[in-house]
Amino acid sequence: MALGEVEAVAKVGKGLFIGGKWVDAAGGKTFSVEDPSTRSPLCEVADATIEDAIAALDAAHGAFEAWAATPPRYRAEIIRRAYEIIMARSEELALIMTLEMGKPLAEARGEVAYAADFFRWFAEEAVRIDGRFYVAPDGNSRVLTMKQPVGVAYMITPWNFPLAMATRKMGPALAAGATVVLKPAEQTPLCSLALASILEEAGLPAGVVNIITTSDPAGVSEALMNDDRLRKVSFTGSTEVGKILAERAGRRLLRVSMELGGNAPFIVFDDADIDLAVGQAMIAKMRNMGEACTSANRFLVDSKIASEFSEKLADRMSHLNVGRGTEADTNVGPLIDQAAIDKVTSLVSDAVANGAAILTGGRANLDDGYFFEPTVIVGTSSNSSISKNEIFGPVASVVTFNDEAEAIDLANGTEYGLVAYVFTNNLSRGLRVIEALKTGMVGLNQGLVSNAAAPFGGVKDSGFGREGGFEGIEEYLDLKYVAINHRA
Ligand code: NAP
């Protein structure tokens, strides 16, 4: 590691952040965090036990009543300060992110700004929590509604957006007046730990946010979710784990938000601007090395323009530099681990065995880290594994269609429903197709939908609940209705 990298990692707290203090795990256990671009260890962090998790819940529960009672403006100003500190420390946070996760520095800077934006947005929303007052239809009573914070929220985040997934959950929770126990992914705990220090510096009272890193996510989550004091679970991760957690939450009727996997179709009609579609395809596919739930997973292209689109895409992909994210000329960093390399390799081999052809890339390069070449494959069957599973890697797979109805059928032919991308210059067709798509989000002539001011989320196996937008704060508010006898 270069000197600046060692210093950046050294600055981050490595303990558990509980009740405003940095503490070791019970028993002093730690686990190692690795740099996926070198496969060498970066540092050790505390490995929380169930006892530690319950201590974090004690702290969050103890802080709840006072935090919930603070003036919204007070909460807003702390969240706003945290936004400003994140932006001021953008370089440092981006470097930590690149080291633990692999994405190129330019993308890491983008994620830092995106993550900070959730704090800016929800600082603004904290002062707009509303209720209603109206006359009941029979005129005999009055209806009052009010919103109150849900209580203690448990947040579980994935490794692919180590900072933004934490702020996207924490921003609305803190704005609503809820308190938090956050469990980041094992592979990328450092961004969340850095965030703990930022919140502390911003003036967040002790116990309002507690962060536990652990190598026992199932045990810790089970213990927290069995405790009566927990009221809410917000999870971002795989559909497989999401279903386990939703079932567990059901036993206690916890409120639940689930941001799960995707299998996004990227539909290009023959009336689209092909160069625009190719440019946006690079974003929809290659952001985060393809390791995004919103990543374009199936390129569905009208057969009349499929060759032109695929060749232009392959040309762009073949000019990308793959390398360590800290290098200035790197466009594509490593995947997260060997399991990711094995999955992508097997999906590509299976597609080729079933008749697809590789236009560019196709191989892993494991000399240093977990690298995979930017890849375009064409002639893919809609029934092959690569069309049915989340690739989570830099592989664009092109399937052709012959008419609008077939495009819609192919797009909806998945259990997932997070996002779809539609490229057309025909407004009527665009609106028709958007209405027919069974997804929570659609990009129209645009390959990026993420925006703190918009409601992010899916349908079907991609989960439920929304993060961001005006809707995001509602996930952390309970609604109370009061029937008023105004003549008493
Ligand atoms: P994952 O394996 O489901 O892990 C996500 C988080 O869940 C991690 O913190 C993990 O901890 C924890 N976890 C694992 N098993 C658990 C269990 N039995 N009980 C409680 N927690 C458990 O997913 P991933 O591979 O890290 O992340 C990639 C997935 O996230 C993809 O499917 C992607 O589409 C999805 N994602 C969705 C969105 C969205 O907004 N819809 C955004 C980003 C990512 P450990 O790290 O310790 O295993």
Side-chain angles (χ1 to χ4, degrees):
M1 274 203 285
L3 188 57
E5 297 172 12
V6 175
E7 281 168 357
V9 172
K11 268 180 86 173
V12 180
K14 312 291 189 308
L16 309 173
F17 186 68
I18 299 178
K21 296 197 171 65
W22 291 95
V23 295
D24 289 336
K29 261 180 66 188
T30 59
F31 65 87
S32 176
V33 183
E34 179 188 272
D35 176 345
S37 69
T38 59
R39 289 187 281 183
S40 43
L42 283 172
C43 62
E44 295 278 317
V45 297
D47 190 356
T49 61
I50 288 174
E51 191 185 324
D52 297 313
I54 297 300
L57 181 57
D58 289 344
H61 185 253
F64 174 66
E65 292 294 339
W67 180 245
T70 54
R73 181 70 75 199
Y74 173 82
R75 298 198 294 275
E77 283 173 359
I78 291 176
I79 302 168
R80 172 76 200 192
R81 271 201 294 281
Y83 156 75
E84 280 159 10
I85 301 171
I86 293 175
M87 291 310 289
R89 303 227 180 115
S90 172
E91 279 306 302
E92 193 180 313
L93 288 165
L95 179 56
I96 293 165
M97 189 184 292
T98 293
L99 291 173
E100 68 175 348
M101 191 274 168
K103 67 182 73 184
L105 269 178
E107 283 201 49
R109 289 184 192 109
E111 183 183 335
V112 171
Y114 175 53
D117 221 18
F118 286 101
F119 277 1
R120 176 163 60 173
W121 175 262
F122 285 108
E124 290 155 356
E125 288 302 284
V127 293
R128 316 212 190 292
I129 298 166
D130 58 2
R132 288 192 294 181
F133 181 80
Y134 53 97
V135 180
D138 64 6
N140 286 331
S141 66
R142 299 292 179 263
V143 175
L144 171 73
T145 67
M146 62 173 79
K147 293 174 184 172
Q148 294 175 304
V150 67
V152 181
Y154 176 42
M155 307 173 169
I156 306 174
T157 51
W159 49 264
N160 58 347
F161 290 96
L163 191 63
M165 296 303 100
T167 58
R168 193 161 84 169
K169 295 182 189 306
M170 256 186 220
L174 297 179
T179 56
V180 172
V181 176
L182 170 74
K183 190 213 80 60
E186 240 164 284
Q187 281 151 318
T188 58
L190 299 181
C191 282
S192 294
L193 294 170
L195 190 59
S197 304
I198 288 171
L199 288 166
E200 203 178 11
E201 193 179 325
L204 193 75
V208 174
V209 165
N210 305 275
I211 299 182
I212 49 169
T213 47
T214 183
S215 65
D216 178 21
V220 155
S221 301
E222 171 99 40
L224 288 172
M225 291 170 72
N226 281 339
D227 193 303
D228 284 345
R229 294 169 299 171
L230 191 79
R231 288 311 322 148
K232 162 91 193 182
V233 175
S234 177
F235 173 76
T236 297
S238 61
T239 296
E240 192 191 349
V241 174
K243 285 183 177 174
I244 296 171
L245 292 172
E247 214 174 299
R248 193 171 293 154
R251 288 192 225 140
R252 286 206 41 244
L253 299 177
L254 293 175
R255 285 191 62 188
V256 180
S257 305
M258 289 281 156
E259 296 290 351
L260 309 179
N263 180 359
F266 187 106
I267 311 169
V268 190
F269 287 101
D270 59 350
D271 53 32
D273 175 335
I274 294 184
D275 291 330
L276 172 77
V278 170
Q280 295 297 305
M282 293 298 291
I283 298 168
K285 180 73 250 179
M286 295 307 292
R287 176 170 176 245
N288 230 36
M289 290 79 75
E291 294 174 315
C293 52
T294 49
S295 193
N297 213 55
R298 296 168 295 153
F299 286 88
L300 308 179
V301 187
D302 189 304
S303 52
K304 294 189 275 305
I305 54 158
S307 297
E308 183 185 352
F309 174 84
S310 309
E311 278 155 25
K312 285 183 166 169
L313 184 62
D315 182 53
R316 292 281 297 271
M317 293 279 264
S318 65
H319 285 92
L320 296 174
N321 288 326
V322 181
R324 192 160 188 244
T326 47
E327 305 298 325
D329 62 347
T330 294
N331 309 114
V332 185
L335 299 191
I336 191 71
D337 57 18
Q338 186 63 44
I341 290 285
D342 293 345
K343 180 181 178 189
V344 175
T345 306
S346 120
L347 289 175
V348 171
S349 326
D350 175 78
V352 170
N354 284 293
I358 296 178
L359 285 191
T360 186
R363 284 168 316 182
N365 173 359
L366 299 172
D367 286 348
D368 301 307
Y370 306 110
F371 296 102
F372 200 95
E373 295 171 343
T375 299
V376 177
I377 60 175
V378 292
T380 313
S381 153
S382 59
N383 288 319
S384 63
S385 299
I386 203 162
S387 298
K388 295 191 163 153
N389 291 288
E390 220 179 357
I391 304 169
F392 246 54
V395 179
S397 154
V398 180
V399 175
T400 57
F401 65 82
N402 291 313
D403 58 35
E404 194 177 302
E406 191 188 0
I408 293 168
D409 272 358
L410 287 171
N412 286 337
T414 167
E415 67 271 31
Y416 294 103
L418 189 62
V419 61
Y421 304 95
V422 179
F423 285 78
T424 177
N425 274 337
N426 177 334
L427 181 62
S428 311
R429 165 178 270 169
L431 293 174
R432 234 176 10 244
V433 173
I434 286 167
E435 281 194 15
L437 289 170
K438 295 184 171 51
T439 59
M441 302 178 285
V442 179
L444 178 60
N445 292 325
Q446 182 164 313
L448 182 73
V449 292
S450 302
N451 182 337
F456 188 105
V459 298
K460 296 162 67 182
D461 270 12
S462 293
F464 45 79
R466 292 294 179 268
E467 292 187 329
F470 301 112
E471 293 79 1
I473 197 166
E474 303 294 336
E475 304 281 325
Y476 298 91
L477 290 166
D478 284 336
L479 186 66
K480 183 178 282 174
Y481 142 60
V482 187
I484 299 176
N485 175 356
H486 65 295
R487 297 201 179 90

